[in-house]
C-alpha cells in the first residue's frame, strides 16, 4: 500500500515512469493456496486504491498502468500444492492512457496452458507499450558494435485491438 501511495504522489508530481514491485513471494512451487491468498490480501486493496486515486484526480487518462509478471503458471499441480512456470500463456492487464476499458483481449486454450487468440509476444507487448507512450518502436534504436538495435529486436507489432 505504501508503494502505491508513493506511486500516486510521484505521478501527481510529474514523474514520468514509476514502478511498484511486490516481494518475490509469487513463485509458488508449493503452498500455492496459502501464499497466493496472502499476496492477494496484500495487493488487492492498494492497487484498487491507486487506480481510484488516479481516476478521481483525473490522472488515469494520462497514466498508463501495467500489471504483470515474468510468466504465467501451469494449469496443473506441481507437487502437493504448487504450480510450475508457464511461458506459453499468462495474464497481464493494462488500464489508463489510451487503453480500452473493461474487456479481455486474447485467450488461452481450454486448459489455460497456451495462448491461442490474439497472441502477443513480449516484443508485441513492448511495441504496444511504446506506442501508448507515443514512441515508434521501429525508430527507437541504440547503436552498439556498429549496428542499430531496438527493444523489440526485429519483431514486435502494435496490438491496436486494446486501444480506446
Amino acid at each position: 500500500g505504501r508503494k502505491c501511495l508513493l506511486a500516486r504522489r510521484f505521478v501527481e508530481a510529474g514523474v514520468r515512469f514509476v514502478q511498484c514491485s511486490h516481494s518475490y513471494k509469487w513463485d509458488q512451487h508449493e503452498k500455492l493456496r496459502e501464499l497466493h491468498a496472502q499476496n492477494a490480501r496484500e495487493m488487492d486493496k492498494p492497487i484498487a486504491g491507486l487506480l481510484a486515486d488516479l481516476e478521481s484526480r483525473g490522472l488515469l487518462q494520462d497514466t498508463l498502468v501495467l500489471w504483470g509478471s515474468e510468466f504465467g503458471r501451469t494449469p496443473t499441480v506441481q507437487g502437493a500444492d504448487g504450480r510450475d512456470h508457464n511461458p506459453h500463456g499468462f495474464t497481464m492487464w493494462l488500464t489508463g492512457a489510451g487503453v480500452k476499458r473493461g474487456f479481455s483481449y486474447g485467450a488461452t486454450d481450454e486448459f489455460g496452458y497456451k495462448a491461442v487468440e490474439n497472441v502477443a509476444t513480449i516484443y508485441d507487448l513492448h511495441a504496444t507499450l511504446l506506442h501508448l507512450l507515443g514512441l515508434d518502436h521501429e525508430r527507437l534504436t541504440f547503436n552498439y558494435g556498429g549496428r542499430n538495435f531496438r527493444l523489440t529486436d526485429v519483431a514486435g507489432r502494435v496490438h491496436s485491438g486494446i486501444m480506446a
Side-chain angles (χ1 to χ4, degrees):
R2 197 169 41 252
K3 291 177 184 177
C4 287
L5 179 59
L6 284 170
R8 193 256 297 156
R9 289 180 178 169
F10 283 137
V11 170
E12 282 180 315
V15 175
R16 296 185 61 180
F17 181 86
V18 180
Q19 177 178 333
C20 293
S21 298
H22 189 259
S23 65
Y24 184 68
K25 297 185 295 183
W26 288 96
D27 195 15
Q28 269 77 56
H29 295 274
E30 58 187 11
K31 299 183 183 177
L32 181 114
R33 288 178 191 264
E34 173 190 340
L35 296 175
H36 272 196
Q38 176 183 335
N39 291 340
R41 283 190 302 273
E42 292 174 4
M43 292 187 64
D44 283 354
K45 285 184 181 178
I47 290 172
L50 171 62
L51 296 175
D53 281 356
L54 292 172
E55 179 72 29
S56 71
R57 289 166 169 74
L59 296 169
L60 194 55
Q61 65 187 6
D62 296 321
T63 304
L64 178 63
V65 179
L66 163 71
W67 184 96
S69 65
E70 58 186 331
F71 44 65
R73 288 290 181 195
T74 55
T76 56
V77 166
Q78 177 187 28
D81 185 21
R83 288 169 55 196
D84 202 1
H85 303 164
N86 182 11
H88 306 293
F90 54 97
T91 300
M92 300 184 107
W93 58 257
L94 297 163
T95 192
V99 176
K100 192 184 311 181
R101 290 183 169 199
F103 81 107
S104 294
Y105 182 81
T108 58
D109 61 20
E110 63 271 22
F111 303 107
Y113 179 72
K114 184 173 180 160
V116 295
E117 180 184 308
N118 292 324
V119 177
T121 68
I122 194 66
Y123 300 118
D124 295 343
L125 174 65
H126 288 161
T128 303
L129 292 173
L130 289 167
H131 177 80
L132 288 164
L133 295 172
L135 300 169
D136 180 349
H137 74 101
E138 292 181 348
R139 295 183 63 209
L140 183 63
T141 62
F142 63 96
N143 192 281
Y144 178 76
R147 177 180 162 228
N148 283 339
F149 288 84
R150 64 184 200 211
L151 178 64
T152 54
D153 196 31
V154 297
R157 67 180 178 90
V158 174
H159 282 254
S160 58
I162 71 162
M163 309 298 174

